[in-house]
Amino acid sequence: MHWPSPGENWFADDSDQPPPDHEDLRIEALVAQRLSGDWTTRQQQISVAVQNRVVILLGLVNDTNARQVAGELAWDTPGVFDVCNTLRLMGQRRGRR
């Protein structure tokens, strides 16, 4: 189970959405495997989503090093076209405008 994105609606009917591409599923599995096998990222709260070969990293990490390593591991995965690293630091709060 992944962390919900701010605009994500868990109750929306997504039956009209096309099934995920097999290449996206392969990339998602590879990135998740690499993150769980790396000492820096294995204990972090990271979810991986892939759409059109773009990796989206979601969740919370303990420090900037873990965020950077997660992004590098995703980029180094064969078949990845781009990486959207939305990982946030634990304890970091969004500023109000």
Side-chain angles (χ1 to χ4, degrees):
M1 179 175 218
H2 70 279
W3 289 67
S5 299
E8 189 172 2
N9 182 355
W10 284 38
F11 303 105
D13 178 20
D14 60 356
S15 59
D16 63 337
Q17 298 294 321
D21 185 345
H22 291 293
E23 180 67 6
D24 287 349
L25 293 174
R26 183 191 70 79
I27 291 171
E28 184 176 324
L30 283 173
V31 172
Q33 180 181 22
R34 296 188 78 192
L35 292 173
S36 66
D38 187 272
W39 183 257
T40 308
T41 56
R42 75 168 38 145
Q43 297 296 323
Q44 308 298 315
Q45 298 174 16
I46 302 173
S47 294
V48 179
V50 179
Q51 187 172 19
N52 298 323
R53 296 178 21 211
V54 175
V55 175
I56 304 161
L57 300 175
L58 304 154
L60 299 172
V61 293
N62 292 330
D63 54 41
T64 56
N65 184 49
R67 184 179 190 278
Q68 180 178 349
V69 169
E72 290 171 357
L73 290 170
W75 265 114
D76 290 340
T77 303
V80 171
F81 180 72
D82 198 2
V83 174
C84 179
N85 190 342
T86 66
L87 294 172
R88 295 185 308 147
L89 299 178
M90 285 190 191
Q92 186 178 31
R93 295 169 45 181
R94 289 184 174 179
R96 293 185 184 235
R97 294 182 188 188

